[in-house]
Amino acid sequence: MTRIAENVQKVRAQILAACQAAGRDPREVQILAVSKTRTHEEVREAFGTGLRAFGENYVQEGIEKIQALQDLPLEWHFIGPLQSNKSRLVAEHFDWVHSLDRLKIAERLSAQRPEHLAPLNVCLQVNISHEASKSGCSEQEALDLARSIATLPRLRLRGLMVIPAPTQDAAAQQAILAQARQLFQQLKQHLPALDTLSMGMSDDLEAAVAEGSTLLRIGTALFGPRPSKP
Ligand SMILES: *Cc1c(COP(=O)(O)O)cnc(C)c1O
């Protein structure tokens, strides 16, 4: 078995155990394989283990991989910060955007989504840990913004994305994840079609499953440590 195949097996076992502990149906929890910095050969190998959804943070890098892997039935998610001058490329090449936090960009994506493609799936990114340096709207803004995005014709609002601030304090981590779950439940009361809580990475996937995540964004645990940037 290859290294990636072994890692995928381990992560699947971890998710299964977390679902059992939380009394959740494992079919409700999907893996988004975060492939930033990885080669298209590595993505191809991950596809061979059954993974279908891949996440990219950088527009150009993502599009190169999308084009190199066109022979595979993959689903591509854009999860990095999105600037308005890159929105057209994202609308034309990706299936999902997780990092939507402004109405202006949502309107651009909707206008730029090509007619021959299905509506673009989007998640509203919420800055749940109130980090000054991070993208994401505030919890107070989330409902109004979600309602406006839900009216855009070429977008399909699927849910929320959060990136909690890293912490060693397990109780603090759990509290932040619980807050995200609560906000997601609140939004669902107004927008019942929402079905996605994009939450949890390699280091907090068990806690995220316990707090209702439906989509885990996992890089390191699948592909190994990322090469550090020069
Ligand atoms: C890189 C990244 C991940 C994956 O992180 P790992 O710790 O490698 O699992 C998940 N979400 C976002 C938004 C990322 O940028």
Side-chain angles (χ1 to χ4, degrees):
M1 215 192 312
T2 68
R3 182 179 52 86
I4 291 177
E6 275 174 29
N7 290 344
V8 172
Q9 205 174 58
K10 262 188 235 160
V11 167
R12 287 219 167 95
Q14 233 180 325
I15 296 171
L16 199 61
C19 283
Q20 277 162 357
R24 297 189 58 196
D25 180 346
R27 285 170 300 190
E28 289 171 11
V29 185
Q30 302 296 318
I31 298 175
L32 174 62
V34 176
S35 49
K36 65 182 176 216
T37 77
R38 315 298 175 174
T39 63
H40 49 86
E41 288 84 358
E42 288 175 288
V43 174
R44 200 173 277 282
E45 198 180 319
F47 170 80
T49 73
L51 295 174
R52 294 291 176 270
F54 292 85
E56 289 285 335
N57 292 58
Y58 307 102
V59 177
Q60 281 308 335
E61 182 192 336
I63 291 174
E64 278 164 30
K65 270 174 242 180
I66 292 170
Q67 285 172 342
L69 295 162
Q70 264 173 352
D71 57 311
L72 303 181
L74 304 181
E75 187 180 271
W76 289 98
H77 295 230
F78 187 78
I79 62 173
L82 180 53
Q83 290 145 8
S84 52
N85 62 350
K86 297 277 172 66
S87 64
R88 178 177 299 280
L89 285 170
V90 169
E92 288 175 353
H93 290 93
F94 285 82
D95 304 297
W96 283 68
V97 172
H98 291 223
S99 43
L100 193 55
D101 61 0
R102 272 170 291 163
L103 187 57
K104 187 182 149 224
I105 299 213
E107 287 167 347
R108 285 176 69 97
L109 288 169
S110 181
Q112 293 166 341
R113 181 69 170 171
E115 281 305 323
H116 68 278
L117 297 178
L120 182 64
N121 297 290
V122 298
C123 290
L124 181 61
Q125 183 178 353
V126 181
N127 185 357
I128 199 87
S129 306
H130 314 289
E131 289 178 281
S133 61
K134 286 288 161 63
S135 9
C137 70
S138 71
E139 288 159 89
Q140 292 72 29
E141 292 169 309
L143 179 58
D144 281 349
L145 202 44
R147 280 187 160 132
S148 304
I149 292 169
T151 67
L152 295 172
R154 301 291 294 142
L155 300 187
R156 183 170 167 213
L157 181 65
R158 300 293 296 267
L160 295 184
M161 191 271 257
V162 295
I163 310 176
T167 167
Q168 302 303 319
D169 179 345
Q173 180 199 46
Q174 199 79 32
I176 287 285
L177 298 174
Q179 219 172 305
R181 161 190 246 167
Q182 240 174 31
L183 181 63
F184 181 55
Q185 300 296 355
Q186 273 170 24
L187 258 56
K188 262 180 28 169
Q189 287 173 7
H190 300 273
L191 299 160
L194 301 190
D195 61 4
T196 302
L197 181 54
S198 166
M199 174 167 94
M201 315 201 288
S202 296
D203 287 337
D204 65 351
L205 69 90
E206 276 128 344
V209 167
E211 291 299 339
S213 168
T214 69
L215 190 54
L216 299 162
R217 306 180 310 271
I218 306 177
T220 310
L222 298 174
F223 294 105
R226 271 184 294 281
S228 52
K229 276 191 193 164

